[in-house]
Amino acid sequence: QQLPTPQGFVGELRTYKQQGLGWLQFLRDTEHGGILADDMGLGKTAQTLAHILLEKQAGHLQQKPALIIAPTSLMYNWLKEAQKFTPDLKVLVLQGANRHQDFDKIPQHDIVLSTYPLLARDEELLKQHSYHLLILDEAQNIKNPRAKAAQVVRQLDAQHRLCLTGTPMENHLGELWSLFHFLMPGLLSDADTFRQHYRNPIERDADADRQKQLNTRLQPL
């Protein structure tokens, strides 16, 4: 259901963003992972921040923050948008040469920001904490399930998982499988079964029925 702009959110969410916020809350309520796949510039960051604010107000972020992994170039943007839209949220940026002295501060914050390149270096430190939300921005960065970043995020302890990307599939269906392997392992079976049951029939044989089956399975998410 469409949700109104949360109290404490600076600004007004447009109708489609209120619908997106309701959907994000629905995913959390029903314990599903999902992909917020709005196009670039349509406000994925604002919807996500509103979602995190509601989670804080519901008491879900105590000692377990929202960990957001994003490209290095978007770190400042996330910090700036959080300060603009949700000034009540405490944000910790884990970046720079001195970042390791800040890892023990993770439970005292609402949002923790890190980057894909730092996942491999900070893996053990990040694994020492639990997170209420684990959010991947520009989630196509884990389209290769064998990449180190994809391996690390799958191992982090998080109650709820969310992907943000305008391009959940850039080249082939295997990339979409990788995102759902992070979100809800097993939903699309293992990679070989997915390839045989969906990817080959759809990409190689243009099997419309199999494509409809996949669409139906993933549309709510």
Side-chain angles (χ1 to χ4, degrees), residues 63-191:
Q63 302 294 309
K64 290 187 177 183
L67 173 61
I68 300 175
I69 306 297
T72 306
S73 60
L74 295 181
M75 280 292 96
Y76 174 71
N77 182 70
W78 270 102
L79 178 61
K80 182 180 67 174
E81 297 286 271
Q83 293 171 339
K84 172 184 175 183
F85 291 119
T86 52
D88 290 343
L89 296 179
K90 295 177 62 179
V91 182
L92 176 65
V93 179
L94 296 176
Q95 194 177 27
N98 298 321
R99 68 187 181 281
H100 293 112
Q101 65 190 25
D102 293 328
F103 276 83
D104 60 347
K105 302 175 185 176
I106 285 176
Q108 285 76 54
H109 289 78
D110 303 310
I111 294 176
V112 176
L113 295 171
S114 187
T115 70
Y116 290 103
L118 290 177
L119 282 170
R121 303 181 205 173
D122 298 343
E123 175 180 0
E124 296 307 318
L125 290 168
L126 289 170
K127 284 181 177 178
Q128 292 175 14
H129 300 272
S130 297
Y131 309 95
H132 177 63
L133 296 167
L134 175 53
I135 300 168
L136 304 186
D137 191 20
E138 300 295 343
Q140 69 274 10
N141 278 275
I142 65 160
K143 64 185 181 181
N144 178 1
R146 293 178 297 276
K148 182 61 176 179
Q151 295 177 28
V152 173
V153 293
R154 291 198 300 265
Q155 296 174 41
L156 295 177
D157 179 19
Q159 290 177 272
H160 306 282
R161 299 182 174 204
L162 175 67
C163 287
L164 313 177
T165 173
T167 53
M169 185 180 70
E170 294 179 314
N171 302 297
H172 55 74
L173 284 169
E175 299 172 352
L176 189 62
W177 178 88
S178 183
L179 268 61
F180 276 100
H181 188 47
F182 158 75
L183 290 167
M184 288 187 291
L187 177 74
L188 298 177
S189 194
D190 59 80

